[in-house]
Amino acid sequence: MIKALKGHGDHGFSPEESTMALRLVQSVRHTALAAATVALLAGIPLSSGPAFARAAPESFADLAESVIGAVVNISAATTVAEQRNVPLPQLPPGSPFQEFFDEFFNRGPGQQGQGQGEGNRPQRRSSSLGSGFVIDESGIVITNNHVIGEANDVTVIFSDGRKLKAEVVGKDPKIDLAVLRVKSDKPLKAVKFGDSEKSRIGDWVMAIGNPFGLGGTVTAGIISARNRDIPAEQSSYAQYIQTDASINKGNSGGPLFNMNGEVIGINTAILSPTGGSVGIGFAVPASMARPVIDQLLQFGETRRGWLGVRIQNVDEGIAESLGLGRPRGALVAGIDEKGPAKPAGIEAGDVILKFDGTDVKDSRDLPRIVGQAPVGKDVEVIIMRKGKEITRTVKLGRLEDGEKLAKASTGPAAEPEKPAIKKALGMEMSSITDDLRKRFNIKENVKGVVVTRVEPNTQAADKRIAMGDVILEVQQEPVSNPDAMTKRVDALKKEGRKSALLLVMSAQSEHPRFVSLSLE
């Protein structure tokens, strides 16, 4: 740094100015600030070069002190009656051993009547520890859904040692949130949510929680990534903030703070082969948590938008088959007969490209975008159908209502056909007969062409098409027998198509999937 400063002597520094600049460099601890000082002395505008990085904080002590009182420990206990695995001996009426066996089997040895459940059955108590934080001084506490689970006894433990019983206001397993309420005789220390959308990769963050039951523990790090999908995570309704601030078991439900003391995330998961922190933790962003918390407080449950489609991702082969140019959007693999998409005219095989003005980059985007939309809203949906973009307007239903609806009723059974074996695309196929329907457990309402053999080392085998699978459509046209299947494939080859898009139903699956096979 001193060498760079000396190089600025050509800009007309006097000896006194050079001496003053050197003293400034020695007194300033952070490189970025020193560079800014030298530039100002030399008359060089800061805007002429890259922005100077914000210096690392000397200490997190002031920040931690200002918010730690709002961070709590959560103790959740579940008490269930033990199931008796040993049968009760059958004794004759009036047996002198009756009282002995009643005492032993109903209470258990050494229990002395403690822990008795309904019907004098012994009880088992399991508990978990987690973290949470107060967002309203009246007693509203936020934590993870998995921290409380189905607990029937939840206690919130404050930093001053107070313990208050909590009422569960509402839970949302989809993004793993729970809202609790406690009653306090005095206002509680509360923290506010910040705008997580303004956070950037590299920003400093601080986590406070209850790792391994140790109590209020402060860790710090940076935001490592944003909009992160967690591998194998069941939820498709959240994209997470990734941080290297140490998060361990027990941190779940605790807050992730920005440097202004605002909560920008709720710590919910770690990625670790050992179960301990390896510097990869995930937090639900405040921008996704706040609407859910508002709904839980207002209704005691969530109210997400519902489109009523089953979707899958678009790969290279499917994109080519549908004329998309590149993989994008969400491919509609099926329509819920009682869902909003059906009356709006959305069909299986459509690719949803845009929903309510928001681009759908891949299938993971759609559930989150739809779920955040208001129930009952009329939404424009742009789809690609047979190479053309069209717009449909859908009046959104409520996801929670859709999940309660019964699955579509089955239609009439297909008429039996005389078996006719054909070969195409590395498969042998037959019409569906009663014998094949029973043999492969094909449902009565399924119509199409059943695969009776898949040749090894073919694309069909690579795409996991198996014996017993039923091909329902070829390039979005139904096929009812092997002749129709082979004719459709031949027609696609004459059109110069490079691949064929098949709609395939497996006996092991409730829903069909699209598979693209090369025609070359």
Side-chain angles (χ1 to χ4, degrees), residues 55-115:
E58 290 185 1
S59 171
F60 289 87
D62 290 340
L63 174 59
E65 185 178 3
S66 68
V67 298
I68 198 168
V71 182
V72 299
N73 299 339
I74 307 290
S75 174
T78 306
T79 304
V80 295
E82 288 275 15
Q83 297 295 324
R84 182 187 290 120
N85 295 321
V86 180
L88 186 67
Q90 298 299 313
L91 300 174
S95 170
F97 297 104
Q98 184 70 49
E99 184 178 347
F100 169 77
F101 280 112
D102 285 346
E103 175 74 14
F104 183 84
F105 282 97
N106 286 338
R107 291 186 177 180
Q111 290 185 352
Q112 300 298 319
Q114 299 295 319

Side-chain angles (χ1 to χ4, degrees), residues 24 59 78-79 105 150 174 191 194 232 240 256 265 324 331 373 386 426 453-454 466 479 490:
L24 283 170
S59 171
T78 306
T79 304
F105 282 97
E150 299 302 322
K174 285 186 169 58
V191 289
Y240 299 85
L256 186 71
L324 286 172
L331 176 60
K386 297 183 179 179
R453 181 175 180 271
V454 179
V479 289
D490 291 341

Side-chain angles (χ1 to χ4, degrees), residues 272-296:
S272 170
T274 63
S277 175
V278 293
I280 301 179
F282 301 99
V284 178
S287 60
M288 294 182 181
R290 292 180 68 178
V292 172
I293 292 170
D294 290 342
Q295 289 180 4
L296 294 177

Side-chain angles (χ1 to χ4, degrees), residues 169-209:
V169 176
K171 301 186 294 183
D172 178 31
K174 285 186 169 58
I175 64 172
D176 199 8
L177 288 183
V179 177
L180 309 177
R181 180 183 284 114
V182 297
K183 293 181 180 180
S184 174
D185 56 2
K186 60 181 180 180
L188 300 173
K189 169 69 176 177
V191 289
K192 296 181 179 180
F193 281 109
D195 187 353
S196 59
E197 294 302 305
K198 291 183 179 179
S199 62
R200 300 184 301 164
I201 295 173
D203 280 349
W204 283 100
V205 288
M206 183 180 72
I208 305 181

